[in-house]
């Protein structure tokens, strides 16, 4: 019955808390789940579509064609976080899209933002993991996945076939990132670009740089 089920859940909760801390909750008949913290993106339409804005400790992918304002949106979000006295870190991969003057115009304090330009996908992936492990960054922005180039692609000949290297790397890395983001409450915004698959006559030719990974 309901009383027996509640007692069983409370007993299980007690066992898990002793071993893992206060991250486990007996949901039935309680109100112990931590509330989700939200931050505004700066745009009502975006906040509305996403629920209440940008959730804390979540992974968010911003996708679109070239030059549609993906970086601008990320800069607006970074400026919002700074206004709330939150620490922002920006990782740039390959595209050199970070414009200090534009960032300052939007309202970002460029002298109080962490910044890293990654030369390879592996360097970017390791840097992201190290930043998340530190647990002091509130917002981590990666601009963009399209600029991630695996070391093997740089070292090999142009004709070499290196299929899905980036997809495999990111699929593995994201599993680690999610655990660290949950632990420290870091929100991660990744910018990605839409591409058109050549030779597609029927169906949607659009795809992301990383495929469905």
């Amino acid at each position: 019955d309901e009383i027996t089920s509640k007692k069983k859940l409370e007993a299980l909760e007690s066992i898990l808390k002793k071993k893992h801390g206060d991250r486990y909750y007996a949901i039935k008949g309680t109100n112990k789940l931590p509330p989700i913290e939200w931050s505004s993106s700066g745009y009502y339409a975006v906040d509305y579509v996403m629920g209440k804005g940008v959730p804390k400790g979540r992974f968010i992918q911003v996708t679109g064609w070239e030059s549609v304002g993906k970086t601008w949106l990320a800069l607006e979000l970074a400026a919002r976080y700074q206004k709330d006295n939150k620490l922002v870190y920006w990782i740039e991969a390959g595209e050199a899209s970070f414009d200090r003057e534009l960032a300052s115009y939007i309202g970002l304090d460029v002298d109080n933002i962490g910044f890293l330009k990654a030369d390879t996908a592996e360097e970017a992936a390791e840097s992201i993991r190290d930043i998340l492990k530190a647990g002091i960054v509130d917002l981590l922005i990666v601009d963009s996945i399209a600029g991630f180039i695996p070391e093997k692609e740089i070292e090999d000949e142009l004709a070499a076939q290196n299929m899905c290297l980036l997809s495999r790397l990111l699929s593995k890395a994201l599993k680690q990132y999610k655990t660290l983001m949950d632990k420290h409450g870091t929100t991660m915004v990744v910018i990605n670009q839409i591409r058109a698959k050549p030779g597609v006559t029927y169906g949607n030719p659009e795809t992301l740089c990383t495929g469905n990974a």
Side-chain angles (χ1 to χ4, degrees):
D1 57 14
E2 185 175 346
I3 297 177
T4 303
S5 297
K6 185 175 181 180
K7 287 183 177 179
K8 288 180 179 178
L9 284 172
E10 289 175 348
L12 178 58
E13 180 187 33
S14 178
I15 294 171
L16 292 173
K17 279 187 175 182
K18 287 179 181 179
K19 186 173 183 180
H20 301 286
D22 293 328
R23 293 178 295 127
Y24 294 86
Y25 305 92
I27 298 175
K28 192 170 183 178
T30 69
N31 189 24
K32 297 181 180 179
L33 286 177
I36 298 174
E37 295 183 30
W38 302 83
S39 296
S40 174
S41 66
Y43 296 94
Y44 173 79
V46 175
D47 290 350
Y48 179 80
V49 170
M50 296 183 66
K52 297 180 182 178
V54 180
K56 180 180 179 180
R58 304 295 177 87
F59 177 89
I60 298 168
Q61 183 173 216
V62 180
T63 63
W65 293 98
E66 298 90 338
S67 302
V68 297
K70 301 184 297 296
T71 298
W72 184 292
L73 177 61
L75 288 170
E76 288 267 15
L77 182 59
R80 289 268 177 170
Y81 266 69
Q82 278 192 337
K83 288 178 181 178
D84 293 334
N85 295 317
K86 295 179 180 179
L87 183 60
V88 178
Y89 208 103
W90 191 288
I91 294 181
E92 184 175 90
E95 295 187 326
S97 58
F98 188 84
D99 187 329
R100 287 179 61 92
E101 292 185 2
L102 175 62
S104 297
Y105 172 78
I106 290 174
L108 186 67
D109 184 356
V110 294
D111 294 324
N112 282 309
I113 182 176
F115 184 85
L116 170 69
K117 182 171 176 57
D119 295 325
T120 67
E122 287 81 2
E123 180 186 359
E126 290 179 7
S127 299
I128 292 170
R129 183 185 60 195
D130 292 341
I131 292 168
L132 293 175
K133 273 187 175 181
I136 60 173
V137 173
D138 297 293
L139 176 66
L140 174 60
I141 297 174
V142 181
D143 187 12
S144 69
I145 294 294
F148 277 15
I149 304 175
E151 291 178 356
K152 189 171 178 57
E153 288 190 5
I154 297 175
E155 296 170 356
D156 284 359
E157 299 293 332
L158 290 176
Q161 297 294 320
N162 296 315
M163 300 297 290
C164 303
L165 290 178
L166 181 57
S167 296
R168 289 198 297 267
L169 173 65
L170 293 178
S171 293
K172 182 179 179 180
L174 285 173
K175 296 175 184 177
Q176 299 180 4
Y177 299 163
K178 188 63 177 71
T179 300
L180 295 170
M181 290 161 60
D182 287 341
K183 181 178 180 181
H184 300 297
T186 302
T187 300
M188 183 172 167
V189 175
V190 174
I191 296 174
N192 204 348
Q193 289 189 0
I194 295 175
R195 298 284 192 256
K197 293 182 283 188
V200 177
T201 304
Y202 302 101
N204 187 2
E206 295 181 358
T207 185
L208 297 175
C209 297
T210 51
N212 291 325

